[in-house]
């Protein structure tokens, strides 16, 4: 047989193998099999029972062992395994099984916030409650998110901290760019990561060139943000670039200890979190001895039944052990019934405004001045263009870029309107960046306007201001220009608090008869861009 014929046969075999592999992945999915309480059984015995149950739907014991991803055996009983629909249906009929459901991919939802709430570190002893003065001393907060950046000042050893609480049973695991000897201390006392569910759903993790880290190290930044907001150490004289928002950065409980559980991974420019991994983190966190669990993640409606989601199962059993679980409401407001974490045994937190703004003066080429909001640290003078000259339909979206977009936008400030189809300033900035633009003026309704730190300089204005700018562009007899001044910090001049427009609202879409108060956390989303969700 010639080498050419052999190569042809191998090529056909490879193609057939790839088709079979894709077919297998399409049929076999990660499922959660939930069994309820573990009835006080030890972990090894519980895991053995899980394998025994799983073996009922496989012909060989080794197949069951290969299929299982996690065995949940401390706070509750259950397991995650790769199953086809027939196997999942058969397991759901077992008397000891409460529910079987597909593991889904969930998404991840500063210096003045706590002072604005009245939690001031420097108030007099007699003016404050004992709990407030302790500021979380010896409380262990478990954060389920995208990991942590241990070099941050928010996670350093603090002189106020004593020994690690004797109740702590967790660990700090090693991984890529994460050395427990230097990363963990008396503040950041624990760090773990969970990836089996994620890789079973989307394939091997991409770690090339720092695209992600197979470790507790944070690639996205969201986990570092939520951990520091909850329990970050006191960091005096902190500010945004250029001195904006200068003050003392700290968490709400600056003397609390942190245990980080990385369950969300960088995918499609955000953090994606597998139900299977989230449940594994809940199980470990309860075993490790955390006192509070915080998870800023969720999935948009339609919602699953309460005992068919990782967050609701994990928080239910945490509640039984006296561990409160705190969730974000979501960033899908302002429409009703978009709240994502709705269990009556969990605490759900909405987002709110504070009394701080960052006014930014815009001066047009005709000497008309307007005041928007931005995080602009440098004076900028540029040519100004309307989005209709850059995008086919003027919507400032990727799919409307044309062959002439780069020429039209290169080095210029682009005026975009949310009402033309792009409701997110972050997405508009990304599209303008792709076109070669130097910045964005983003016009939105007054009720929706929210200053964000996009990677491309962005000034936020209301629709009236945006219309004035558009009229100037269209009526100018010479190339229109704009001068964007450096932003300033203004405190105490804005009525607050108010629920932020983007915060998800109730009532629950699966249990509207359960009246639940959604607590409001005042925080500074504008420093954290599109995914700066609530605690």
């Amino acid at each position: 047989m010639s080498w050419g014929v052999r190569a042809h046969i191998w090529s056909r075999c490879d193609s057939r193998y790839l088709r079979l592999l894709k077919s297998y992945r399409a049929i076999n999915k990660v499922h959660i099999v939930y069994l309820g309480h573990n009835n006080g059984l030890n972990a090894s015995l519980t895991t053995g029972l899980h394998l025994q149950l799983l073996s009922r739907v496989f012909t060989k014991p080794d197949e069951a062992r290969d299929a299982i991803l996690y065995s949940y055996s401390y706070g509750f009983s259950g397991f995650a395994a790769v199953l086809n629909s027939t196997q999942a249906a058969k397991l759901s009929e077992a008397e000891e099984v409460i529910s079987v459901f597909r593991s889904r991919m969930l998404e991840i939802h500063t210096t003045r916030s706590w002072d604005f709430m009245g939690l001031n570190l420097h108030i007099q002893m007699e003016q404050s409650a004992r709990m407030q003065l302790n500021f979380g001393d010896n409380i262990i907060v478990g954060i389920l998110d995208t990991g942590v950046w241990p070099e941050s000042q928010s996670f350093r050893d603090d002189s106020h901290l004593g020994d690690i609480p004797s109740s702590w049973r967790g660990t700090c695991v090693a991984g890529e760019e994460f050395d427990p000897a230097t990363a963990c201390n008396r503040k950041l006392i624990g760090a773990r990561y969970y990836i089996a569910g994620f890789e079973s759903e989307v394939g091997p993790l991409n770690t090339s060139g720092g695209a992600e880290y197979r470790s507790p190290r944070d690639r996205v930044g969201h986990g570092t943000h939520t951990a520091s907001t909850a329990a970050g150490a006191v960091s005096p004289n902190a500010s945004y670039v250029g001195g904006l928002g200068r003050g003392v950065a700290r968490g709400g409980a600056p003397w609390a200890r942190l245990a980080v559980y990385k369950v969300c991974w960088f995918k499609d420019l955000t953090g994606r979190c597998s139900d299977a991994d989230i449940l594994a983190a809940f199980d470990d966190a309860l075993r490790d001895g955390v006192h509070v669990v915080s998870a800023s993640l969720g999935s948009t409606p339609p919602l699953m039944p309460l005992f068919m989601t990782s967050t609701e199962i994990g928080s239910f059993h945490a509640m039984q052990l006296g561990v409160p679980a705190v969730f974000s409401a979501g960033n899908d407001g302002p429409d009703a019934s978009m709240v994502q974490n709705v269990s009556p045994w969990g605490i759900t937190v909405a987002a709110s405004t504070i009394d701080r703004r960052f006014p930014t003066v815009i001066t047009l080429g005709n000497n008309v001045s307007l005041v928007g909001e931005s995080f602009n640290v440098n004076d900028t003078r540029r040519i100004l263009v309307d989005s209709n000259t850059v995008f086919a339909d003027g919507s400032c979206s990727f799919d409307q870029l044309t062959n002439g977009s780069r020429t039209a936008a290169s080095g210029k400030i682009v005026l975009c309107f949310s009402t033309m189809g792009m409701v997110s300033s972050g997405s508009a900035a990304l599209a303008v960046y792709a076109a070669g633009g130097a910045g964005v003026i983003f016009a939105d309704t007054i009720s929706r306007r929210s200053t964000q730190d996009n990677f491309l300089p962005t000034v936020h204005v209301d629709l009236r201001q945006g219309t004035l700018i558009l009229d100037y562009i269209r009526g100018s007899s010479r190339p229109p220009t704009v001068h964007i001044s450096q932003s300033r910090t203004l405190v105490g001049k804005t009525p607050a608090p108010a629920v932020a427009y983007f915060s998800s609202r109730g009532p629950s879409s699966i249990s509207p008869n359960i009246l639940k108060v959604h607590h409001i956390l005042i925080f500074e989303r504008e420093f954290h861009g599109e995914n700066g969700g609530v605690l």
Side-chain angles (χ1 to χ4, degrees):
M1 184 183 296
S2 70
W3 282 110
V5 174
R6 290 179 181 178
H8 176 68
I9 292 174
W10 278 111
S11 176
R12 291 185 64 186
C13 289
D14 284 347
S15 298
R16 183 182 181 189
Y17 170 75
L18 289 173
R19 287 196 301 271
L20 289 172
L21 183 61
K22 289 180 180 179
S23 175
Y24 175 82
R25 287 178 174 173
I27 296 172
N28 295 270
K29 300 292 183 181
V30 179
H31 288 75
I32 308 295
V33 181
Y34 173 54
L35 307 175
H37 301 287
N38 70 346
N39 297 316
L41 299 178
N42 65 48
S44 59
L45 183 56
T46 302
T47 299
L49 293 174
H50 293 165
L51 285 171
Q52 184 179 7
L53 176 61
L54 189 57
S55 296
R56 298 180 190 175
V57 297
F58 286 95
T59 57
K60 299 178 181 178
D62 287 347
E63 292 177 338
R65 191 170 286 106
D66 292 340
I68 198 166
L69 301 179
Y70 294 110
S71 176
Y72 313 122
S73 57
Y74 180 78
F76 47 91
S77 178
F79 57 88
V82 179
L83 305 169
N84 60 37
S85 58
T86 302
Q87 292 168 325
K90 186 174 180 180
L91 283 172
S92 68
E93 296 171 357
E95 184 178 353
E96 57 266 58
V97 172
I98 294 177
S99 62
V100 178
F101 56 93
R102 278 275 308 276
S103 175
R104 299 170 302 153
M105 296 298 288
L106 279 61
E107 295 184 6
I108 54 175
H109 288 158
T110 92
T111 63
R112 179 167 168 76
S113 299
W114 301 112
D115 287 343
F116 177 67
M117 293 178 70
L119 300 178
N120 192 307
L121 281 175
H122 309 294
I123 52 183
Q124 297 297 316
M125 180 81 69
E126 61 269 21
Q127 295 178 328
S128 187
R130 169 174 291 192
M131 183 181 298
Q132 185 173 325
L133 287 174
N134 287 336
F135 289 101
D137 192 20
N138 282 329
I139 295 297
I140 303 170
V141 180
I143 304 289
L144 276 60
D145 214 294
T146 63
V148 65
W149 195 266
E151 292 83 4
S152 169
Q153 286 294 299
S154 295
F155 312 121
R156 70 184 189 281
D157 255 330
D158 192 290
S159 59
H160 291 96
L161 297 173
D163 294 335
I164 294 173
S166 58
S167 61
W168 174 245
R169 299 180 294 274
T171 186
C172 187
V173 303
E176 291 180 342
E177 302 293 327
F178 197 93
D179 180 3
T182 56
C184 287
N185 49 43
R186 292 178 300 171
K187 179 66 175 178
L188 181 61
I189 63 176
R192 299 177 184 264
Y193 65 97
Y194 306 82
I195 196 169
F198 177 85
E199 290 193 317
S200 293
E201 294 284 350
V202 303
L205 184 70
N206 176 22
T207 59
S208 60
E212 246 295 4
Y213 306 98
R214 190 178 290 273
S215 77
R217 178 171 289 279
D218 189 0
R219 165 63 176 83
V220 180
H222 190 265
T224 299
H225 160 46
T226 55
S228 61
T229 303
V234 177
S235 300
N237 202 34
S239 71
Y240 183 73
V241 178
L244 289 173
R246 189 177 302 279
V248 177
R250 65 180 181 90
W255 295 349
R257 317 302 176 107
L258 278 164
V260 169
Y261 300 83
K262 183 175 178 178
V263 296
C264 304
W265 302 84
F266 188 60
K267 177 71 175 175
D268 300 329
L269 300 178
T270 187
R272 303 285 183 178
C273 332
S274 164
D275 268 332
D277 296 332
I278 293 169
L279 272 177
F282 259 109
D283 198 35
D284 277 347
L286 298 178
R287 181 188 290 109
D288 290 345
V290 305
H291 300 116
V292 181
V293 173
S294 174
S296 294
L297 44 83
S299 180
T300 55
L303 301 179
M304 299 293 289
L306 292 180
F307 286 102
M308 295 184 70
T309 69
S310 59
T311 50
E312 314 298 20
I313 290 173
S315 61
F316 178 79
H317 291 283
M319 174 269 296
Q320 290 186 317
L321 294 173
V323 177
V326 184
F327 296 104
S328 51
N331 292 337
D332 295 321
D335 294 331
S337 295
M338 292 300 289
V339 61
Q340 298 183 13
N341 294 298
V342 298
S343 63
W345 47 82
I347 300 172
T348 306
V349 182
S352 174
T353 61
I354 65 169
D355 64 341
R356 185 170 70 173
R357 298 177 55 222
F358 299 93
T360 305
V361 176
I362 303 170
T363 304
L364 305 177
N366 60 0
N367 291 324
V368 171
S369 292
L370 307 166
V371 179
E373 287 198 64
S374 180
F375 299 109
N376 188 45
V377 297
N378 298 304
D379 272 10
T380 302
R381 298 176 186 271
R382 298 276 181 174
I383 298 294
L384 178 63
V385 296
D386 172 18
S387 60
N388 283 292
T389 66
V390 180
F391 302 92
D393 64 355
S395 65
C396 292
S397 57
F398 264 116
D399 58 359
Q400 294 298 317
L401 289 170
T402 67
N403 292 334
S405 291
R406 180 161 289 275
T407 300
S410 181
K412 302 180 180 69
I413 303 295
V414 180
L415 174 64
C416 297
F417 283 82
S418 66
T419 50
M420 296 184 70
M422 184 51 64
V423 296
S424 162
S425 69
S427 298
L430 194 63
V432 171
Y433 175 78
V440 177
I441 296 177
F442 191 77
D444 205 348
T445 62
I446 294 177
S447 61
R448 295 180 62 93
R449 195 178 76 173
S450 176
T451 308
Q452 294 179 184
D453 176 23
N454 298 321
F455 56 90
L456 196 67
T458 304
V459 184
H460 297 257
V461 298
D462 62 38
L463 290 180
R464 182 189 65 83
Q465 294 170 316
T467 302
L468 288 174
I469 297 171
L470 181 61
D471 289 343
Y472 160 66
I473 294 173
R474 290 174 173 173
S476 180
S477 59
R478 60 182 66 181
T481 61
V482 62
H483 171 207
I484 301 175
S485 301
Q486 185 175 0
S487 301
R488 298 183 299 111
T489 303
L490 186 64
V491 173
K493 301 296 183 182
T494 303
V499 175
Y501 86 87
F502 57 83
S503 184
S504 293
R505 288 146 164 86
S508 163
S509 58
I510 61 171
S511 54
N513 292 327
I514 298 177
L515 188 61
K516 179 176 178 179
V517 176
H518 295 285
H519 302 256
I520 297 175
L521 173 67
I522 294 102
F523 78 115
E524 294 156 340
R525 178 178 186 265
E526 56 267 34
F527 277 2
H528 307 283
E530 276 299 292
N531 291 317
V534 295
L535 255 181

